[in-house]
Coordinates of all heavy atoms in Angstrom, one line a residue:
K68 N 8.1 -4.3 -11.1 CA 9.2 -5.0 -10.3 C 10.3 -4.0 -10.0 O 10.9 -4.0 -8.9 CB 9.7 -6.2 -10.9 CG 8.7 -7.4 -10.9 CD 9.4 -8.6 -11.5 CE 8.6 -9.9 -11.3 NZ 9.2 -11.1 -11.9
A69 N 10.7 -3.2 -11.0 CA 11.7 -2.2 -10.8 C 11.3 -1.1 -9.8 O 12.1 -0.7 -8.9 CB 12.1 -1.5 -12.1
A70 N 10.1 -0.7 -9.8 CA 9.6 0.3 -8.9 C 9.6 -0.3 -7.5 O 10.0 0.4 -6.5 CB 8.2 0.8 -9.2
L71 N 9.2 -1.5 -7.4 CA 9.1 -2.2 -6.1 C 10.5 -2.4 -5.5 O 10.8 -2.2 -4.3 CB 8.4 -3.5 -6.2 CG 8.1 -4.3 -4.9 CD1 7.3 -3.5 -3.9 CD2 7.4 -5.6 -5.3
A72 N 11.4 -2.9 -6.4 CA 12.8 -3.1 -6.0 C 13.5 -1.8 -5.5 O 14.4 -1.8 -4.7 CB 13.6 -3.8 -7.1
G73 N 13.1 -0.7 -6.1 CA 13.7 0.6 -5.8 C 13.1 1.3 -4.5 O 13.6 2.3 -4.0
A74 N 12.1 0.6 -4.0 CA 11.5 1.2 -2.7 C 12.1 0.6 -1.5 O 12.6 -0.5 -1.5 CB 10.0 0.8 -2.7
Q75 N 12.1 1.4 -0.5 CA 12.6 1.0 0.8 C 11.5 0.7 1.8 O 11.7 0.1 2.9 CB 13.5 2.1 1.5 CG 14.7 2.4 0.6 CD 15.3 3.7 1.1 OE1 14.8 4.8 0.8 NE2 16.5 3.6 1.8
A76 N 10.3 1.0 1.4 CA 9.1 0.7 2.2 C 7.9 0.8 1.2 O 8.0 1.4 0.1 CB 8.9 1.7 3.3
V77 N 6.8 0.2 1.6 CA 5.5 0.2 0.8 C 4.3 0.5 1.7 O 4.2 0.1 2.8 CB 5.3 -1.2 0.1 CG1 4.0 -1.3 -0.6 CG2 6.4 -1.5 -0.9
L78 N 3.5 1.4 1.1 CA 2.2 1.7 1.7 C 1.1 1.0 0.8 O 1.1 1.3 -0.4 CB 2.0 3.2 1.8 CG 0.5 3.6 2.2 CD1 0.2 3.2 3.6 CD2 0.4 5.1 2.0
V79 N 0.3 0.2 1.4 CA -0.8 -0.4 0.7 C -2.1 0.2 1.2 O -2.4 0.2 2.4 CB -0.9 -1.9 0.9 CG1 -2.1 -2.5 0.2 CG2 0.4 -2.6 0.3
V80 N -2.9 0.8 0.3 CA -4.2 1.4 0.6 C -5.2 0.7 -0.2 O -5.2 0.7 -1.5 CB -4.2 2.9 0.3 CG1 -5.6 3.5 0.7 CG2 -3.1 3.7 1.0
S81 N -6.2 0.0 0.5 CA -7.0 -0.9 -0.3 C -8.4 -1.0 0.3 O -8.6 -1.1 1.5 CB -6.4 -2.3 -0.3 OG -7.3 -3.2 -1.1
P82 N -9.4 -1.1 -0.6 CA -10.8 -1.4 -0.2 C -10.9 -2.9 0.1 O -9.9 -3.7 -0.2 CB -11.6 -1.0 -1.4 CG -10.7 -1.3 -2.6 CD -9.3 -0.9 -2.1
E83 N -12.0 -3.3 0.6 CA -12.3 -4.7 0.9 C -13.3 -5.1 0.0 O -14.4 -4.6 -0.1 CB -12.7 -4.8 2.4 CG -13.0 -6.2 2.8 CD -13.4 -6.2 4.3 OE1 -12.6 -5.8 5.1 OE2 -14.6 -6.6 4.5
Y84 N -13.0 -6.1 -0.9 CA -14.0 -6.7 -1.8 C -14.3 -8.1 -1.3 O -13.4 -9.0 -1.3 CB -13.4 -6.8 -3.2 CG -13.3 -5.4 -3.9 CD1 -12.6 -5.4 -5.1 CD2 -13.7 -4.2 -3.4 CE1 -12.5 -4.2 -5.8 CE2 -13.5 -3.0 -4.0 CZ -12.9 -3.0 -5.2 OH -12.8 -1.8 -5.9
N85 N -15.5 -8.4 -0.9 CA -16.0 -9.7 -0.5 C -15.0 -10.3 0.6 O -14.6 -11.4 0.5 CB -16.1 -10.6 -1.7 CG -17.1 -10.2 -2.6 OD1 -18.2 -9.8 -2.2 ND2 -16.8 -10.2 -3.9
S86 N -14.7 -9.4 1.5 CA -13.8 -9.8 2.7 C -12.4 -9.9 2.3 O -11.6 -10.4 3.2 CB -14.3 -11.0 3.4 OG -15.7 -10.8 3.9
G87 N -11.9 -9.6 1.1 CA -10.5 -9.7 0.8 C -10.0 -8.6 -0.1 O -10.8 -7.6 -0.4
P88 N -8.8 -8.7 -0.6 CA -8.2 -7.7 -1.4 C -8.8 -7.8 -2.9 O -9.1 -8.8 -3.4 CB -6.7 -8.0 -1.4 CG -6.7 -9.5 -1.2 CD -7.8 -9.8 -0.3
P89 N -8.8 -6.6 -3.5 CA -9.2 -6.6 -4.9 C -8.2 -7.4 -5.8 O -7.0 -7.4 -5.4 CB -9.2 -5.1 -5.3 CG -9.3 -4.4 -4.0 CD -8.6 -5.3 -3.0
G90 N -8.7 -8.0 -6.9 CA -7.8 -8.8 -7.7 C -6.6 -8.0 -8.2 O -5.5 -8.6 -8.3
V91 N -6.7 -6.7 -8.6 CA -5.6 -6.0 -9.2 C -4.5 -5.8 -8.1 O -3.3 -5.9 -8.5 CB -6.1 -4.6 -9.7 CG1 -6.5 -3.7 -8.5 CG2 -5.0 -3.9 -10.5
L92 N -4.8 -5.7 -6.9 CA -3.8 -5.6 -5.8 C -3.1 -6.9 -5.6 O -1.9 -7.0 -5.5 CB -4.4 -5.0 -4.5 CG -3.5 -5.0 -3.3 CD1 -2.3 -4.0 -3.7 CD2 -4.2 -4.5 -2.1
K93 N -3.9 -8.0 -5.4 CA -3.3 -9.3 -5.2 C -2.5 -9.7 -6.3 O -1.4 -10.3 -6.2 CB -4.5 -10.3 -4.9 CG -3.9 -11.7 -4.6 CD -3.1 -11.7 -3.3 CE -2.9 -13.1 -2.8 NZ -1.7 -13.8 -3.4
N94 N -2.9 -9.4 -7.6 CA -2.1 -9.7 -8.7 C -0.7 -9.0 -8.7 O 0.3 -9.6 -9.0 CB -2.9 -9.3 -10.0 CG -2.3 -9.8 -11.3 OD1 -1.9 -11.0 -11.4 ND2 -2.1 -8.9 -12.2
A95 N -0.7 -7.7 -8.3 CA 0.5 -7.0 -8.2 C 1.4 -7.6 -7.2 O 2.7 -7.8 -7.4 CB 0.3 -5.5 -7.9
I96 N 0.9 -8.0 -6.0 CA 1.6 -8.6 -5.0 C 2.3 -9.9 -5.5 O 3.4 -10.2 -5.2 CB 0.8 -8.8 -3.7 CG1 0.4 -7.5 -3.1 CG2 1.5 -9.7 -2.7 CD1 -0.7 -7.5 -2.0
D97 N 1.5 -10.7 -6.2 CA 2.0 -12.0 -6.7 C 3.1 -11.7 -7.7 O 4.1 -12.4 -7.6 CB 0.9 -12.8 -7.3 CG -0.1 -13.3 -6.2 OD1 0.2 -13.3 -5.0 OD2 -1.2 -13.7 -6.6
W98 N 2.9 -10.8 -8.7 CA 4.0 -10.6 -9.6 C 5.2 -10.1 -8.9 O 6.4 -10.5 -9.2 CB 3.5 -9.5 -10.7 CG 2.9 -10.1 -11.9 CD1 1.5 -9.9 -12.2 CD2 3.4 -11.0 -12.9 NE1 1.3 -10.6 -13.4 CE2 2.4 -11.2 -13.8 CE3 4.7 -11.5 -13.1 CZ2 2.6 -12.0 -14.9 CZ3 4.9 -12.3 -14.2 CH2 3.9 -12.6 -15.1
G99 N 5.1 -9.2 -7.9 CA 6.2 -8.7 -7.2 C 7.0 -9.7 -6.4 O 8.2 -9.6 -6.1
S100 N 6.4 -10.8 -6.1 CA 7.0 -11.9 -5.3 C 7.9 -12.8 -6.1 O 8.6 -13.6 -5.6 CB 6.0 -12.7 -4.5 OG 5.3 -13.6 -5.4
R101 N 7.8 -12.7 -7.4 CA 8.5 -13.6 -8.3 C 9.9 -13.2 -8.6 O 10.2 -12.0 -8.6 CB 7.7 -13.8 -9.6 CG 6.3 -14.2 -9.5 CD 6.1 -15.5 -8.8 NE 6.6 -16.6 -9.7 CZ 6.5 -17.9 -9.5 NH1 5.9 -18.3 -8.4 NH2 6.9 -18.7 -10.4
G102 N 10.8 -14.1 -8.7 CA 12.2 -13.8 -9.0 C 12.9 -13.3 -7.7 O 12.9 -14.1 -6.7
A103 N 13.5 -12.2 -7.7 CA 14.3 -11.7 -6.6 C 13.5 -11.4 -5.3 O 14.0 -11.4 -4.2 CB 15.0 -10.4 -6.9
N104 N 12.2 -11.3 -5.4 CA 11.2 -11.1 -4.3 C 11.6 -9.9 -3.4 O 12.1 -10.2 -2.3 CB 11.0 -12.4 -3.5 CG 9.9 -12.1 -2.5 OD1 9.1 -11.2 -2.5 ND2 9.8 -13.1 -1.5
P105 N 11.5 -8.7 -3.9 CA 11.8 -7.6 -3.0 C 10.9 -7.4 -1.8 O 11.1 -6.6 -0.9 CB 11.7 -6.4 -3.9 CG 10.8 -6.8 -5.0 CD 11.0 -8.3 -5.2
W106 N 9.8 -8.2 -1.8 CA 8.9 -8.2 -0.6 C 9.6 -8.7 0.7 O 9.3 -8.3 1.8 CB 7.7 -9.0 -0.8 CG 6.7 -8.5 -1.8 CD1 6.3 -9.1 -3.0 CD2 5.9 -7.3 -1.7 NE1 5.4 -8.3 -3.6 CE2 5.1 -7.2 -2.9 CE3 5.8 -6.3 -0.8 CZ2 4.2 -6.1 -3.1 CZ3 5.0 -5.2 -1.0 CH2 4.2 -5.1 -2.1
R107 N 10.6 -9.6 0.5 CA 11.3 -10.2 1.7 C 12.0 -9.0 2.4 O 12.8 -8.3 1.9 CB 12.3 -11.2 1.2 CG 12.9 -11.9 2.4 CD 13.7 -13.2 2.0 NE 12.7 -14.2 1.7 CZ 12.6 -14.7 0.4 NH1 13.3 -14.2 -0.6 NH2 11.7 -15.6 0.2
G108 N 11.6 -8.9 3.7 CA 12.2 -7.9 4.6 C 11.6 -6.5 4.3 O 12.1 -5.5 5.0
M109 N 10.7 -6.3 3.4 CA 10.2 -5.0 3.1 C 9.2 -4.5 4.2 O 8.3 -5.2 4.5 CB 9.4 -5.0 1.7 CG 8.8 -3.7 1.3 SD 10.0 -2.5 0.8 CE 10.4 -3.1 -0.9
P110 N 9.4 -3.3 4.7 CA 8.4 -2.8 5.7 C 7.2 -2.3 4.9 O 7.3 -1.6 3.9 CB 9.2 -1.6 6.3 CG 10.4 -1.4 5.6 CD 10.6 -2.5 4.6
V111 N 6.0 -2.7 5.3 CA 4.8 -2.4 4.7 C 3.8 -1.9 5.7 O 3.6 -2.5 6.8 CB 4.2 -3.7 4.0 CG1 2.8 -3.4 3.4 CG2 5.1 -4.1 2.9
A112 N 3.1 -0.8 5.3 CA 2.0 -0.3 6.2 C 0.7 -0.5 5.4 O 0.7 -0.3 4.2 CB 2.2 1.2 6.4
L113 N -0.4 -0.8 6.1 CA -1.7 -1.0 5.5 C -2.6 0.1 6.0 O -2.6 0.4 7.1 CB -2.2 -2.4 5.9 CG -1.3 -3.6 5.6 CD1 -2.0 -4.8 6.2 CD2 -1.1 -3.7 4.1
M114 N -3.5 0.5 5.0 CA -4.6 1.5 5.4 C -5.8 1.1 4.5 O -5.6 0.6 3.4 CB -4.2 2.9 5.1 CG -3.1 3.5 5.9 SD -2.9 5.3 5.9 CE -2.9 5.7 4.2
S115 N -7.0 1.3 5.0 CA -8.2 1.0 4.3 C -9.3 1.9 4.7 O -9.3 2.3 5.8 CB -8.5 -0.5 4.4 OG -8.6 -0.9 5.8
A116 N -10.2 2.1 3.8 CA -11.4 2.9 4.0 C -12.6 2.2 3.5 O -12.5 1.5 2.5 CB -11.2 4.3 3.3
S117 N -13.7 2.3 4.2 CA -14.9 1.6 3.8 C -16.1 2.4 4.3 O -16.1 3.0 5.3 CB -14.9 0.2 4.5 OG -16.1 -0.4 4.3
P118 N -17.2 2.3 3.5 CA -18.4 2.9 4.0 C -19.0 2.2 5.2 O -19.8 2.7 6.0 CB -19.4 2.9 2.8 CG -18.8 1.8 1.9 CD -17.3 1.7 2.2
G119 N -18.6 1.0 5.4 CA -19.0 0.2 6.6 C -18.3 0.5 7.9 O -17.3 1.3 7.9
A120 N -18.7 -0.1 8.9 CA -18.2 0.2 10.3 C -16.8 -0.4 10.5 O -16.0 0.2 11.3 CB -19.1 -0.3 11.3
L121 N -16.4 -1.5 9.8 CA -15.2 -2.1 10.1 C -14.0 -1.5 9.4 O -12.8 -1.8 9.8 CB -15.2 -3.6 9.8 CG -16.3 -4.4 10.5 CD1 -16.2 -5.9 10.1 CD2 -16.0 -4.3 12.0
G122 N -14.2 -0.6 8.4 CA -13.1 0.1 7.8 C -12.2 -0.7 7.0 O -11.1 -0.3 6.7
G123 N -12.5 -2.0 6.6 CA -11.6 -2.8 5.9 C -10.7 -3.7 6.7 O -9.7 -4.2 6.2
A124 N -11.2 -4.0 7.9 CA -10.4 -4.9 8.8 C -10.1 -6.3 8.2 O -9.0 -6.8 8.4 CB -11.1 -5.1 10.1
R125 N -11.1 -6.8 7.5 CA -10.9 -8.2 6.9 C -9.9 -8.2 5.8 O -9.1 -9.1 5.6 CB -12.2 -8.8 6.4 CG -13.1 -9.0 7.7 CD -14.5 -9.5 7.2 NE -15.1 -8.3 6.6 CZ -16.4 -8.2 6.5 NH1 -17.3 -9.1 7.0 NH2 -17.0 -7.1 6.0
V126 N -9.8 -7.1 4.9 CA -8.8 -7.1 3.9 C -7.4 -6.9 4.5 O -6.5 -7.6 4.0 CB -9.1 -5.9 2.8 CG1 -8.8 -4.5 3.4 CG2 -8.2 -6.2 1.6
Q127 N -7.3 -6.2 5.6 CA -6.0 -6.0 6.2 C -5.5 -7.4 6.8 O -4.4 -7.7 6.7 CB -6.0 -4.9 7.2 CG -6.1 -3.6 6.6 CD -5.7 -2.4 7.6 OE1 -5.0 -2.7 8.6 NE2 -6.1 -1.2 7.2
A128 N -6.5 -8.1 7.4 CA -6.1 -9.5 7.9 C -5.6 -10.4 6.8 O -4.6 -11.1 6.9 CB -7.3 -10.1 8.6
Q129 N -6.3 -10.4 5.6 CA -5.9 -11.2 4.5 C -4.5 -10.7 3.9 O -3.7 -11.6 3.6 CB -7.0 -11.2 3.4 CG -8.1 -12.1 3.8 CD -8.9 -12.6 2.6 OE1 -8.5 -12.5 1.5 NE2 -10.0 -13.2 2.9
L130 N -4.3 -9.4 3.8 CA -3.1 -9.0 3.3 C -1.9 -9.3 4.3 O -0.8 -9.7 3.8 CB -3.1 -7.4 3.1 CG -3.9 -7.0 1.9 CD1 -4.1 -5.5 1.9 CD2 -3.3 -7.4 0.6
R131 N -2.2 -9.2 5.6 CA -1.1 -9.6 6.6 C -0.8 -11.1 6.4 O 0.4 -11.5 6.4 CB -1.6 -9.4 8.0 CG -1.6 -7.9 8.4 CD -2.1 -7.8 9.9 NE -2.2 -6.4 10.2 CZ -1.2 -5.6 10.5 NH1 0.0 -6.1 10.6 NH2 -1.4 -4.3 10.8
A132 N -1.8 -11.9 6.1 CA -1.5 -13.4 5.9 C -0.7 -13.6 4.7 O 0.3 -14.4 4.7 CB -2.8 -14.1 5.8
S133 N -1.0 -12.9 3.6 CA -0.2 -13.1 2.3 C 1.2 -12.6 2.5 O 2.1 -13.2 2.1 CB -0.9 -12.3 1.2 OG -2.1 -12.9 0.8
F134 N 1.3 -11.4 3.1 CA 2.7 -10.8 3.3 C 3.5 -11.7 4.2 O 4.7 -11.8 4.0 CB 2.6 -9.4 3.8 CG 2.2 -8.4 2.7 CD1 1.3 -7.5 2.9 CD2 2.9 -8.4 1.5 CE1 0.9 -6.5 1.9 CE2 2.7 -7.5 0.5 CZ 1.7 -6.5 0.7
S135 N 2.9 -12.3 5.2 CA 3.7 -13.0 6.2 C 4.4 -14.2 5.5 O 5.5 -14.6 5.8 CB 2.9 -13.5 7.4 OG 2.0 -14.6 7.0
G136 N 3.8 -14.8 4.5 CA 4.3 -15.9 3.8 C 5.5 -15.5 2.9 O 6.3 -16.4 2.4
M137 N 5.7 -14.2 2.7 CA 6.8 -13.7 1.8 C 7.9 -13.1 2.7 O 8.9 -12.5 2.1 CB 6.3 -12.7 0.8 CG 5.3 -13.3 -0.2 SD 4.8 -12.1 -1.4 CE 3.8 -11.0 -0.5
G138 N 7.8 -13.1 4.0 CA 8.8 -12.5 4.8 C 8.7 -11.0 4.9 O 9.7 -10.3 5.2
T139 N 7.6 -10.4 4.6 CA 7.4 -9.0 4.6 C 7.2 -8.5 6.1 O 6.6 -9.2 6.9 CB 6.2 -8.6 3.8 OG1 6.4 -9.2 2.5 CG2 6.0 -7.1 3.7
M140 N 7.7 -7.4 6.4 CA 7.6 -6.8 7.7 C 6.4 -5.8 7.8 O 6.6 -4.6 7.5 CB 8.9 -6.1 8.1 CG 10.1 -6.9 7.9 SD 10.2 -8.3 9.0 CE 10.4 -7.6 10.6
V141 N 5.2 -6.3 8.1 CA 4.0 -5.5 8.1 C 4.0 -4.7 9.4 O 4.2 -5.3 10.5 CB 2.7 -6.3 7.9 CG1 1.5 -5.4 8.0 CG2 2.7 -7.1 6.6
L142 N 3.8 -3.4 9.3 CA 3.8 -2.6 10.5 C 2.7 -3.0 11.5 O 1.6 -3.2 11.1 CB 3.5 -1.1 10.0 CG 3.6 0.0 10.9 CD1 5.1 0.2 11.3 CD2 3.1 1.3 10.3
P143 N 3.1 -3.3 12.7 CA 2.0 -3.7 13.7 C 1.1 -2.5 14.0 O 1.4 -1.4 13.7 CB 2.8 -4.1 14.9 CG 4.1 -3.3 14.8 CD 4.4 -3.1 13.3
G144 N 0.0 -2.8 14.6 CA -1.0 -1.8 15.0 C -0.5 -0.7 15.8 O 0.7 -0.9 16.3
P145 N -1.2 0.3 16.0 CA -2.6 0.5 15.6 C -2.8 0.7 14.1 O -2.0 1.3 13.4 CB -3.0 1.8 16.3 CG -1.7 2.6 16.5 CD -0.6 1.6 16.6

Side-chain angles (χ1 to χ4, degrees):
K68 285 183 175 183
L71 186 59
Q75 296 168 286
V77 172
L78 170 66
V79 176
V80 181
S81 182
E83 182 177 297
Y84 290 173
N85 298 315
S86 301
V91 69
L92 176 61
K93 183 64 168 83
N94 190 50
I96 291 168
D97 291 344
W98 271 114
S100 73
R101 304 299 290 187
N104 187 15
W106 288 117
R107 184 168 288 111
M109 179 72 75
V111 173
L113 306 174
M114 295 194 312
S115 53
S117 170
L121 298 179
R125 293 174 292 205
V126 72
Q127 287 198 21
Q129 284 202 11
L130 287 169
R131 284 179 186 280
S133 290
F134 282 132
S135 72
M137 297 184 290
T139 304
M140 308 297 292
V141 179
L142 192 64

